Every structure is written in structure tokens, then in C-alpha cells.
Amino acid sequence: MGNCQETEEVFGLTPMPWEVKFSFLGTIIPLVFISIVVVIATALSEPAELSEVAVIFGVILSIVAVLCGLTPTAYILGSEGVEIIRRFAPPVLLPYAWIGNVYLKQFSSQPRAFFWLLPTHGTWVYFGRIKVAGLGSIRVYATSWEKEMVVLETDRGPYYLSPAEPVRFYETLRSRLSPH
């Protein structure tokens, strides 16, 4: 099933709500500041323990960097399928043959997630596999629940995406899925 187009179209993501941006800055800036202060204070008072403290904060900052690196930055409708581009990680490719259905979904509020494999629920963006009341286990690569989302039904479960132009993304994807 699918129509392999030669051209690719790039779609941006819905801009993050100000609460998410504030949450991101409110987490990163204090974490970096506290790390610097603790490392300097340890260097001045207990130089022998400096390496242990530096390692601990290095690990914390590395985890934050990895999580930021996994965040989605764009969606591409390419010749092979839907690519979910991530900041510093390889893209996620969903071949057109895997997509059984696509539809638009509007949420009245952010769904309640029971379990996140990656701890990003509402902090900066939404990505990873989650279990949502009423929806079951879904995969999310989004920046916001506020606008319409595009849902891709696959054999691996549904994928929820938040393109900046959900209707245009939906229509373009539908045209690529329909056989000619």
C-alpha cells in the first residue's frame, strides 16, 4: 500500500507552549548553575573529592543532553515513508507500507499518562512510548497536545505527531498512501 513519491516535504512541529519553554529553561538553567557552583565549591574546599562531584554532575548533564537529543525537530514525508527527525539521534522511519490508517485527533486537554519510558512527560516535549488512559500504549513524537495531532496507525501501535500544519500534513500523507 503506498505511493512512493520522489520528492520529500518537510513539516515543522507545532511550537512549544510557553509553559513547556519555561519548564525547560527552569530546569536547565538552575541545573547548570548549581553544577558550576558545586564543582567550584568542591574544588575550593575538598579538592580530593572534585573528580567524584564532577563525574556526578557530568552524568546528570549528559542525561539531560541525551534527552534533548532525542526530541523531535521535524517530520519529512519522503520517498520511503514518514521520517521523524530528532535533534542528535537517527531519524525514526515509518515506511508507508506500515501505515494502515491516518487521522486527525484533537484533545480537549493533555491526556493523563500512566507510564513513560523516557521521563519527558510535559517537561520539554513529548516523545517515547507511553500508556494513556483511554488510548492504551502509544508512541508520541510531539511538542504540544494543544492543536490537532496527526495519528498514524501502524502494526507497532499508533504514533501521535504534532506538525505545525496538521491538516496539510494529513492531506499530503493521505495522498501518498492512496494507490494511483
Side-chain angles (χ1 to χ4, degrees), residues 103-163:
Y103 59 91
L104 294 168
K105 177 138 178 94
Q106 177 75 48
F107 291 94
S108 58
S109 63
Q110 177 177 318
R112 179 164 159 65
F114 293 113
F115 177 72
W116 285 77
L117 287 180
L118 296 172
T120 58
H121 174 59
T123 306
W124 308 317
V125 295
Y126 308 91
F127 68 90
R129 189 175 189 158
I130 62 171
K131 189 170 186 176
V132 177
L135 297 176
S137 181
I138 65 173
R139 288 179 171 85
V140 179
Y141 290 93
T143 51
S144 175
W145 294 92
E146 293 179 356
K147 289 179 69 175
E148 274 187 308
M149 296 184 85
V150 177
V151 182
L152 311 178
E153 289 184 352
T154 73
D155 292 341
R156 299 176 69 196
Y159 285 76
Y160 284 69
L161 311 178
S162 64

Side-chain angles (χ1 to χ4, degrees), residues 13-73:
L13 280 77
T14 298
M16 282 189 259
W18 70 268
E19 299 92 356
V20 175
K21 290 179 184 176
F22 182 75
S23 174
F24 175 75
L25 293 176
T27 303
I28 296 298
I29 292 172
L31 185 61
V32 170
F33 180 75
I34 290 169
S35 298
I36 292 169
V37 169
V38 169
V39 168
I40 291 171
T42 303
L44 295 174
S45 64
E46 300 291 332
E49 295 179 19
L50 178 60
S51 62
E52 292 173 16
V53 171
V55 167
I56 291 168
F57 283 104
V59 167
I60 291 170
L61 293 176
S62 296
I63 290 169
V64 169
V66 167
L67 290 176
C68 288
L70 294 173
T71 61
T73 59

